[in-house]
Each structure stands twice: as C-alpha cells, then as structure tokens.
Amino acid sequence: MTDQSHGHPSLLELRDLSRHFGSFRALDEVSFRVRAGARHAIIGPNGAGKSTLFGLVSGTLPVTAGSVLFDGQDVTRLPVHRRVGLGIAATFQHSSLFMRESVLENVLLALLRRPGGGLGGRRKVAARPKAIARAHALLDQVGLPTRYELAAAELSHGERRQLEVAVALATDPRLLLLDEPAAGMSPAETDRLTALIAALPAEVTVLLVEHDLDMVFELADTVTVMHLGRHLMTGSPDAVRSSAAVQSAYLGTAEAAS
Ligand code: ADP
Ligand code: MG
C-alpha cells in the first residue's frame, strides 16, 4: 500500500480489514488511511462493502479479521459507545432518529448521552439551559433553526438527514462517518448538505460514502474506490477520475446508469 498520509498523522487506519457473511466476503482485506482533517470519500457500486466498512469502523458490526486503528489506538473490538467516547460518530443509511420526539429533544438526548453529559432524563433536560443553547447552535449549524418543536417524523426527508448530522455532531466527533447522506434528497437539499459538510471545522475529519459524484468531487480531497469488497485505489480526486481501472469498475457504470 502506498502511504497516502504525506507525513500527516492518520486519524483512522484500516489494516487488512475483512468481514465475511458465511463464505461471502463483503469486505476483503481492505487497507487504507484517513488523514486527520481529511474530507475523504468512499465510492463504489452497490454491494462494494461501503456500509459494511462503516459498521466495522463504528463498531455496529464485528470484524472477521484485520484491525481498525483510531488515532493510533486499536479499537477493533471496542463497543460502539466506547468508540463514540473516543470521537467516532456515524449517521447511518437507515435513520436512527427518535421519530416521535421533537427535533430539539433528538439533539438534547444525543448531547446528554455523551460522556460527562449524564443520563438525567427529560426533566433534567428541561433544566439544562447550556445543553439547550448548544442544541440550538447545532440545529443552526445544520440549517434547521426554526423547526425545534416539530416531531422528527414531521420533517421532510432532507431535513431528517440534516437532523441526523446535528445528532452526530452533538457527540463532539473527531471522525464523522456519513453513509449516503444525500440519498433521496432534492438537488436543493443536496446543495445545502454539501455546504454544511464543507463548513465543518477542520477538527472534524469526514469520511463520506456517497453515490452523488458531483457532491463527492466537490467535497473530497481524497477518494477511496471500492468494488466487490475490495479496495481498488485511494488517491486524489483527479487521480481517481483518470484511473482506467476505476472508470471500468465504477464511473463507467454510474454514467451509463444516469
Ligand atoms: P454497499 O454499502 O457498498 O452498497 P454493503 O456493505 O451494504 O455494500 O454490502 C456489501 C455486500 O455484503 C452486499 O453484497 C450485501 O448483500 C452483503 N451483506 C451486507 N450485510 C449483510 C448481512 N448482514 N448478511 C449477508 N450479507 C450481507
Ligand atoms: Mg451502503
């Protein structure tokens, strides 16, 4: 594997990471690094293993073999909450919002679940002006400043994705994993989400799985291409765009499909 870190420290390093389902290799000895501060995208056709990879990094799915290093620490077997405590936050392809709770409560619950936040329940939530101010700031940041009292279920699809990002940011992540955040979004919603991700502070490293290649090439400084559970390449957006192997495995199919 070539060293993509260019002397910068890696925040995340995957070493020969594999996940099998029975005899099927959903992820097959994948190795690459994510530089601290990167806007790193993972692309590849459906079934490439992208969501599986996110499950192994976030801890929702146990690995078959290989390791996950976060900031130099082996987190391969840590439970999800310990990884969240270290600064790994994820939004998932299938929403994990509390649909009956209000927009504000979804963010407050995430704020209070984090280490040091305590588990005070609703009454204490109401009594924490600092948490409420922080929740308002996060909702502003993701572009949902006037929807506080609506139930999550009442939001549009795009607004729910924005809320999921606010919930993830509430855990103060150093690494934010976004799995197809623009899926099902209107062009205007996608533009808003792209701007929101672009505006995240450099302290938040972003690892993004996305089918919308315009969004990928607008945001990413590094792109990893996967195909059938394998790592095809990691490089600059230009290097990826001009790779013949990538074009035949992915870009060609994507363009033919659109
Ligand atoms: P991607 O996100 O790149 O579309 P996934 O990581 O979701 O791909 O899936 C990779 C492959 O692993 C797919 O062929 C999928 O059907 C398979 N797979 C994912 N999860 C499971 C599971 N729980 N059991 C069996 N096969 C699975
Ligand atoms: Mg997926």
Side-chain angles (χ1 to χ4, degrees), residues 112 117-125 128:
L112 299 184
L119 289 164
R122 288 285 188 79
R123 263 176 226 116
K124 277 203 176 159
V125 170
R128 282 169 191 257

Side-chain angles (χ1 to χ4, degrees), residues 182 189-199 212 214-215 218-219:
E189 287 174 331
T190 303
D191 286 349
R192 220 176 306 139
L193 182 74
T194 306
L196 150 63
I197 297 169
D212 183 329
D214 290 338
M215 185 181 184
E218 186 168 340
L219 281 174

Side-chain angles (χ1 to χ4, degrees), residues 124-149:
K124 277 203 176 159
V125 170
R128 282 169 191 257
K130 263 193 188 167
I132 291 171
R134 175 87 178 113
H136 285 184
L138 285 165
L139 289 166
D140 260 5
Q141 189 180 350
V142 302
L144 285 174
T146 59
R147 315 288 270 169
Y148 299 150
E149 303 310 329

Side-chain angles (χ1 to χ4, degrees), residues 157-229:
H157 179 78
E159 289 170 332
R160 279 183 210 169
R161 305 311 302 244
Q162 288 168 273
L163 178 56
E164 285 170 38
V165 175
V167 165
L169 290 175
T171 64
D172 263 338
R174 298 172 65 199
L175 176 65
L176 180 60
L177 306 172
L178 298 166
D179 195 351
E180 296 194 31
M185 279 193 170
S186 70
E189 287 174 331
T190 303
D191 286 349
R192 220 176 306 139
L193 182 74
T194 306
L196 150 63
I197 297 169
L200 290 173
E203 300 85 72
V204 181
T205 301
V206 177
L207 186 56
L208 168 79
V209 166
E210 186 47 62
H211 276 297
D212 183 329
L213 293 182
D214 290 338
M215 185 181 184
V216 165
F217 287 119
E218 186 168 340
L219 281 174
D221 50 46
T222 312
V223 179
T224 289
V225 187
M226 293 180 53
H227 189 44
L228 300 174

